[in-house]
Amino acid sequence: MWPFKSYSKFLEMDFRTDIHCHLLPGVDDGFKSEDKSVKALELLHATGLEHSFLTPHIFPELYPENTPENIRAAYSEISDKFSAAGVETYPAGEHMIYQGIEKLFGRDSIGTCLTLPGDRILVEMSYAYESQNIRDFVFHLNAVGLHPVLAHPERYSYYSRSLVEIRSIVDIDTSLQLNILSLGGFYGNTAKVKAEAILEAGLYTYLGTDLHSLAQIEQLQSLRIEKKHVAAIEKLLENNDMLWKAGAGA
């Protein structure tokens, strides 16, 4: 693929499935209007996107109305418009890890949680400090049959470039999700350097856009992947597709 280039344009790769975005309008700090959400999907579909997991923030302190019931209701109101844009969508969530969150997840509640297929659950932490209960929460999730996927670890300032802390998270049965725009330096050079290190260490399982605005589509359009990273990104794209086929596309 592009043998005489030192890079590949990301949107010319087989980007068919996005596992992390904030396209569901009016529920968090992502898209605010239906029109812009639909426009974003139309633009992405034109580049090859076929499937998207919608993952609004779930954090009672900031978004008290983002319960599974309310999010599914909001999704049902717009799902037909999303389909008309050419992209199949599936409602899930991005769960902030906070003290006491484990009470929401038990064996009896798995069916009602906003999870990804295969009982995988997208989780995040503050960018400024590590959640004190992350390891206990990961242990709890695995104990009840849920499998955590930690969003954008490269953006957590308290994790060093040595990857010691990040490896310790992976070692307790946590998958990692790359924010693809990190590789373009759109979150700063520190996040870019850590993203490259995590990718080269083979620690990521999935990637997502973490899309919040139309402006970020312009960033995706300009994003170039270094040749040395192409094979690793292609593997993550395959994992994304497999995740869709495992549940939402079954």
Side-chain angles (χ1 to χ4, degrees):
M1 184 181 294
W2 300 286
F4 303 110
K5 293 184 179 180
S6 60
Y7 63 86
S8 297
K9 292 183 178 180
F10 175 68
L11 289 183
E12 291 182 0
M13 301 175 72
D14 292 328
F15 177 46
R16 292 186 292 262
T17 304
D18 188 3
I19 79 154
H20 181 178
C21 72
H22 296 268
L23 276 161
L24 191 62
V27 297
D28 62 9
D29 61 343
F31 283 77
K32 303 305 180 185
S33 72
E34 290 187 2
D35 289 347
K36 289 185 177 180
S37 293
V38 172
K39 179 64 174 178
L41 283 178
E42 289 173 344
L43 289 171
L44 290 170
H45 178 60
T47 70
L49 188 73
E50 299 175 0
H51 320 113
S52 185
F53 292 100
L54 310 178
T55 54
H57 293 291
I58 299 179
F59 184 26
E61 185 175 323
L62 289 182
Y63 308 104
E65 296 185 359
N66 276 5
T67 63
E69 295 78 14
N70 289 346
I71 288 173
R72 289 190 176 103
Y75 172 70
S76 68
E77 293 179 2
I78 197 172
S79 58
D80 288 345
K81 293 182 180 180
F82 283 171
S83 296
V87 179
E88 294 181 83
T89 53
Y90 184 92
E94 182 183 15
H95 300 76
M96 175 64 73
I97 301 175
Y98 58 89
Q99 290 294 334
I101 187 176
E102 65 277 356
K103 297 176 183 177
L104 300 179
F105 301 96
R107 294 186 186 277
D108 296 336
S109 64
I110 291 178
T112 62
C113 296
L114 287 165
T115 59
L116 301 167
D119 292 326
R120 287 168 174 78
I121 178 170
L122 188 67
V123 300
E124 68 169 337
M125 295 184 288
S126 164
Y127 297 123
Y129 55 87
E130 184 181 49
S131 301
Q132 293 182 349
N133 60 326
I134 180 174
R135 287 162 180 78
D136 289 341
F137 183 51
V138 165
F139 178 82
H140 174 80
L141 289 177
N142 281 291
V144 301
L146 293 169
H147 310 292
V149 178
L150 181 62
H152 41 61
E154 71 278 359
R155 296 190 64 192
Y156 300 135
S157 60
Y158 39 85
Y159 285 163
S160 66
R161 297 182 184 183
S162 71
L163 309 186
V164 172
E165 303 92 344
I166 290 173
R167 287 182 185 276
S168 74
I169 297 296
V170 173
D171 288 343
I172 56 173
D173 295 325
T174 304
S175 299
L176 304 181
Q177 174 252 305
L178 165 69
N179 267 19
I180 189 63
L181 286 174
S182 293
L183 290 180
F186 295 106
Y187 302 111
N189 187 64
T190 298
K192 180 179 186 294
V193 170
K194 278 195 286 188
E196 291 173 340
I198 299 169
L199 187 66
E200 291 168 10
L203 297 177
Y204 286 119
T205 302
Y206 305 107
L207 68 78
T209 63
D210 199 1
L211 197 69
H212 281 71
S213 68
L214 286 171
Q216 287 180 309
I217 294 182
E218 295 180 7
Q219 294 174 344
L220 286 170
Q221 290 170 337
S222 67
L223 178 62
R224 298 178 177 186
I225 305 300
E226 290 187 50
K227 187 175 181 179
K228 64 180 180 180
H229 294 145
V230 167
I233 294 299
E234 288 178 334
K235 178 59 178 176
L236 301 187
L237 292 173
E238 290 175 6
N239 290 345
N240 281 16
D241 291 343
M242 290 174 62
L243 187 63
W244 179 269
K245 293 175 182 177

